[in-house]
Amino acid sequence: MAEVAVVHRDLIPGSPARYDEDAVSAVYEMLDQGVRLTGGIESVISPGDRVLLKVNACWPVSPDSGITSDPRVVAAVVRYLKNAGKARSVTVAERSSIKADSLESLKRSGVYDAALREGADRIVPLERDVRLSATIPGAKVLRGEVHLPRCVVEADKIVYLAKMKTHKVCGITAAMKLSQGMLPWSEQIKYHRNDIDQKIVDLLRLVRPDLSIVDALWPMQGQGPGSPYREDLIRDFNTIVLGRDPVAVDSVCARLMGFDPIFEVAYIRDATVAGLGEGRPDRIDVKGEDVERIKRSFRRGDISLIGLHPKIDVYLSGSCKGCCHFTRTGLDPWLADQEKLKDFDTVEKITLIIGKDNPLEIRTEHHPPKSYTFVIGDCASRHRDKGIFLPGCPSLSLHGLMPFIGLGDEEILAKYARRLPEGFVP
């Protein structure tokens, strides 16, 4: 049976943004307890190994946002790998999301300083590393060449430090999905649609972490992985989940969040069926804390665009998860903020046309800044003459495009083009 450790404390000092040695020591003790419960650090890392630590610093946001790896956990993990693991070197690596600068994200999130203070030998923004070509045997969607950073290929051992969050498309995000940060963004976005779960499983075939640690001190529910809603941040979960089988680790995380890992999280189910790990709860030996005692019912994410605001009119037809996800992600920061929401008072209507098979006779108004029509994604391209066409499969849509209210067509299209990653061909 796969072994997964769950370690919980009622109280951990400080916060991700403000903490001291007591907090790092508390998390260090939790890590040590969890690793000992699952075979000891010597079963994972040999003295002298070059260890790559993949963290989550997806956007340049405050440590207290709950969106990125908690610096308290980063500090404790780097210290543990150096001291208990006797690693020759520890390289901390990340590639942030949607053209965000990874170095800026690592610094703003507090991850950079926490890692450096504990003796990390290198901190690598992965978009700046040399890329090596690879192929994935048995891949379902990543069937061509993919390009891995050299520091990943050259590492003796790989440790994932993931963040427990809900995800509007995948249900949850924990250890397995962290591998998406290995790809350049131009390759990652190609399969951010209904096939995203298969892409996650393909990446597990390519890169398999030797140890998966999930930071659930301040996890996120609802509109993750980057929710702007304050009520979506849980500040008292105070839990670490770890194990050598990332599928089993994610399965336990799903249960802690109130999900059925097999019936509700497709990538856990698919990885289990493919024999890449164990997602079935009755075949996972959970060490430490009782899952039933500390689990909570996390609010699910929602990508629906229906009924969000009286001035938003949508035509969805045959749309997929990708375009809906990025559109909702762009709108959520405005819907969550009463001050930003006042921007909608200045327009009469915003129309969204997404997906194929929408009727040709759709009548819309596009007269910026009075009214706007967005035609989102390649599937909807036959309606491109009705407003502003935002290409892509999926389209990045309104993610990063807000605020557009008050701008004209050319300004909006220029803003959209700046969001497209290098190498991305709509």
Side-chain angles (χ1 to χ4, degrees), residues 60 148 163 210:
L148 284 175
K163 181 80 178 181
D210 298 282

Side-chain angles (χ1 to χ4, degrees), residues 174-193:
M176 285 176 63
K177 193 174 178 297
L178 197 65
S179 59
Q180 291 217 100
M182 301 293 192
L183 295 179
W185 181 248
S186 58
E187 293 178 4
Q188 178 185 334
I189 193 174
K190 290 178 183 177
Y191 307 101
H192 227 72
R193 310 166 304 194

Side-chain angles (χ1 to χ4, degrees), residues 171-220:
I172 74 163
T173 173
M176 285 176 63
K177 193 174 178 297
L178 197 65
S179 59
Q180 291 217 100
M182 301 293 192
L183 295 179
W185 181 248
S186 58
E187 293 178 4
Q188 178 185 334
I189 193 174
K190 290 178 183 177
Y191 307 101
H192 227 72
R193 310 166 304 194
N194 292 348
D195 48 5
I196 186 172
D197 296 280
Q198 293 172 304
K199 175 177 60 174
I200 293 169
V201 175
D202 281 351
L203 285 169
L204 183 59
R205 292 183 169 98
L206 180 67
V207 180
R208 187 177 183 87
D210 298 282
L211 178 65
S212 296
I213 304 167
V214 179
D215 156 25
L217 269 56
W218 284 26
M220 178 173 287

Side-chain angles (χ1 to χ4, degrees), residues 136 138-143 198-199 202 205 270:
I136 306 174
K140 294 288 183 64
V141 293
L142 294 173
R143 290 187 291 270
Q198 293 172 304
K199 175 177 60 174
D202 281 351
R205 292 183 169 98
D270 193 33

Side-chain angles (χ1 to χ4, degrees), residues 140-396:
K140 294 288 183 64
V141 293
L142 294 173
R143 290 187 291 270
E145 280 192 344
V146 294
H147 298 87
L148 284 175
R150 183 167 63 186
C151 66
V152 175
V153 177
E154 293 180 347
D156 296 315
K157 298 293 169 56
I158 296 174
V159 176
Y160 279 3
L161 175 51
K163 181 80 178 181
M164 179 184 283
K165 298 185 282 188
T166 51
H167 193 282
K168 295 193 295 296
V169 181
C170 302
I172 74 163
T173 173
M176 285 176 63
K177 193 174 178 297
L178 197 65
S179 59
Q180 291 217 100
M182 301 293 192
L183 295 179
W185 181 248
S186 58
E187 293 178 4
Q188 178 185 334
I189 193 174
K190 290 178 183 177
Y191 307 101
H192 227 72
R193 310 166 304 194
N194 292 348
D195 48 5
I196 186 172
D197 296 280
Q198 293 172 304
K199 175 177 60 174
I200 293 169
V201 175
D202 281 351
L203 285 169
L204 183 59
R205 292 183 169 98
L206 180 67
V207 180
R208 187 177 183 87
D210 298 282
L211 178 65
S212 296
I213 304 167
V214 179
D215 156 25
L217 269 56
W218 284 26
M220 178 173 287
Q221 62 178 344
Q223 294 299 87
S227 176
Y229 297 89
R230 293 181 180 179
E231 62 271 21
D232 283 351
L233 182 57
I234 300 172
R235 294 179 171 86
D236 61 347
F237 205 61
N238 297 334
T239 300
I240 299 287
V241 185
L242 63 85
R244 283 173 286 174
D245 179 350
V247 183
V249 167
D250 281 14
S251 177
V252 173
C253 286
R255 290 175 59 201
L256 286 166
M257 301 165 76
F259 287 74
D260 184 305
I262 296 298
F263 288 99
E264 292 188 85
V265 187
Y267 71 79
I268 295 176
R269 181 173 65 244
D270 193 33
T272 302
V273 169
L276 298 173
E278 185 54 76
R280 292 165 290 189
D282 62 340
R283 302 193 185 189
I284 300 171
D285 185 8
V286 180
K287 307 281 191 177
E289 188 62 60
D290 179 16
V291 170
E292 294 301 314
R293 188 184 82 81
I294 64 170
K295 77 174 185 179
R296 301 190 192 181
S297 180
F298 281 42
R299 183 166 50 253
R300 273 58 170 166
D302 181 26
I303 61 172
S304 176
L305 302 169
I306 298 170
L308 295 181
H309 191 277
K311 292 186 177 180
I312 299 177
D313 198 12
V314 295
Y315 296 89
L316 295 170
S317 189
S319 56
C320 80
K321 292 179 181 178
C323 286
C324 290
H325 161 62
F326 284 123
T327 304
R328 181 67 186 265
T329 300
L331 289 170
D332 271 337
W334 263 252
L335 301 172
D337 188 319
Q338 291 301 313
E339 287 301 312
K340 290 181 178 179
L341 202 54
K342 292 177 182 177
D343 290 348
F344 285 86
D345 294 340
T346 65
V347 295
E348 293 181 0
K349 179 180 280 192
I350 297 169
T351 302
L352 309 173
I353 302 174
I354 307 177
K356 58 184 179 181
D357 300 328
N358 277 300
L360 287 171
E361 61 271 18
I362 290 176
R363 296 186 179 277
T364 63
E365 291 186 12
H366 181 67
H367 302 292
K370 180 181 175 182
S371 59
Y372 292 88
T373 294
F374 290 97
V375 181
I376 297 168
D378 295 345
C379 288
S381 61
R382 65 177 184 164
H383 292 283
R384 62 192 306 158
D385 61 332
K386 292 182 169 65
I388 299 173
F389 177 51
L390 303 178
C393 183
S395 166
L396 288 181

